[in-house]
Amino acid sequence: MVQSVAIFGNSHVSAIKTAWEEAKQDYPQVSFTFFAARANYMKYIEARDGVLVPTNEVTERSIGFTSGGKSKIDPKEYDCFLVYALGARPYLPDASVFYSDQVHQVTIANRRARQLAWRTVKQIKSVTDRPIIVGENPLPSLLSEQALRDSGDFEEGRVDYTYGVELAERLFYKEHNIRLQRQPLQTIDNGRWTKEEFCKGSERLAIGHRSDGSAHDETDTNHMNTAYGHIWLKAFMPLLQGLRDRGGSENLDKGAKWRFGLRSA
């Protein structure tokens, strides 16, 4: 049986969508439907009568285009849900400074509460109990480091993506029965940046606008390209396989063989 996944996202999801369009024949066991809009227009999605509907004309046109003609999101049509980017920035604490779990937990929760991704998660949870996965914003490109140093905004410290994401998984996402799809380590440089090669040639999200498919400005260090999308998709498939093997809706605390879609050692 084909596993149906509804994907909610903003301009960052373009990398995933363009990669999917090139490679979906390689994943016949999965079907993706994208509900996406540029900028923050996904904030105009609300739960009504058991479905999710757009409350803004721009959002309605955008999700209609990205989904192939759908005007609403009926949760009964999908086996699980991916919330991608939408302001969900990775937690990157200074690993050289000790903080208690309680401090980390409060900090993570406060930051997530302000993000569109978390609002979207809550909207989905209000209409279904099927599995929800979050894919956070990709780390900015290594090109960002020099720009931040030049502006005086660069924060020194021992920042490590894996350290931060493990805290976020354990202290936040697991607490809310949400799975987190990590950024593939092969795309990360120096523990805190995405490798430069993956932000070159990134494309604007196609929403039926004349700018569809055009490249982001060469100074853009936050949006990733289709090559990145291919790597991310490949990393995402084991998590989806884990959901299929487990029947999709079991609580994360059950079945110690799987932790957020990855086999334990």
Side-chain angles (χ1 to χ4, degrees):
M1 180 179 292
V2 175
Q3 184 180 30
S4 182
V5 184
I7 301 177
F8 295 72
N10 54 8
S11 57
H12 288 285
V13 87
S14 178
I16 310 302
K17 191 172 187 297
T18 54
W20 173 251
E21 289 167 352
E22 290 182 357
K24 57 187 175 183
Q25 68 277 1
D26 298 331
Y27 306 107
Q29 75 280 18
V30 178
S31 172
F32 286 171
T33 304
F34 292 85
F35 299 96
R38 296 179 185 175
N40 290 320
Y41 276 96
M42 288 300 287
K43 68 182 179 181
Y44 299 109
I45 295 286
E46 293 187 1
R48 293 181 181 175
D49 299 322
V51 299
L52 299 175
V53 297
T55 60
N56 173 278
E57 290 183 7
V58 173
T59 308
E60 183 176 10
R61 289 197 302 270
S62 295
I63 70 168
F65 187 88
T66 60
S67 68
K70 293 183 179 290
S71 59
K72 63 183 178 182
I73 303 100
D74 185 343
K76 296 188 294 295
E77 296 179 4
Y78 304 99
D79 298 301
C80 61
F81 301 83
L82 169 65
V83 176
Y84 186 80
L86 292 175
R89 293 179 176 81
Y91 183 55
L92 299 173
D94 186 343
S96 66
V97 179
F98 172 78
Y99 295 103
S100 67
D101 277 359
Q102 184 177 13
V103 170
H104 284 301
Q105 190 170 41
V106 171
T107 302
I108 296 167
N110 287 342
R111 292 181 181 181
R112 296 297 177 267
R114 299 191 296 268
Q115 295 169 350
L116 178 54
W118 186 238
R119 180 188 185 281
T120 304
V121 166
K122 290 192 293 183
Q123 292 289 326
I124 298 170
K125 280 180 169 285
S126 73
V127 296
T128 184
D129 61 358
R130 293 182 181 180
I132 300 173
I133 306 153
V134 168
E136 297 178 324
N137 284 36
L139 297 165
S141 163
L142 183 60
L143 293 170
S144 298
E145 180 174 0
Q146 189 57 52
L148 289 170
R149 289 186 183 278
D150 292 344
S151 67
D153 292 331
F154 183 79
E155 296 183 8
E156 298 288 354
R158 185 166 65 85
V159 173
D160 179 72
Y161 173 77
T162 301
Y163 172 69
V165 81
E166 287 177 351
L167 287 170
E169 280 183 337
R170 179 168 59 86
L171 300 176
F172 182 79
Y173 289 108
K174 190 174 182 179
E175 291 292 318
H176 293 281
N177 201 25
I178 297 169
R179 293 153 177 84
L180 177 64
Q181 174 58 49
R182 299 184 184 191
Q183 177 169 342
L185 290 179
Q186 70 203 84
T187 68
I188 298 175
D189 201 354
N190 200 29
R192 69 187 299 175
W193 310 106
T194 297
K195 293 179 180 178
E196 179 181 341
E197 66 200 77
F198 295 115
C199 79
K200 292 183 175 180
S202 62
E203 296 180 7
R204 288 178 169 82
L205 176 67
I207 56 170
H209 188 269
R210 61 179 178 275
S211 62
D212 287 357
S214 61
H216 286 104
D217 187 275
E218 62 181 13
T219 61
D220 187 302
T221 59
N222 294 305
H223 292 87
M224 301 304 142
N225 57 27
T226 303
Y228 175 91
H230 279 289
I231 295 171
W232 197 95
L233 279 177
K234 187 174 182 179
F236 184 43
M237 291 301 153
L239 194 159
L240 292 179
Q241 180 64 55
L243 290 177
R244 288 196 297 276
D245 291 347
R246 290 163 54 100
S249 59
E250 293 184 45
N251 187 283
L252 285 179
D253 292 332
K254 299 178 182 178
K257 292 293 185 181
W258 286 92
R259 184 174 182 270
F260 300 98
L262 300 175
R263 287 193 181 279
S264 54

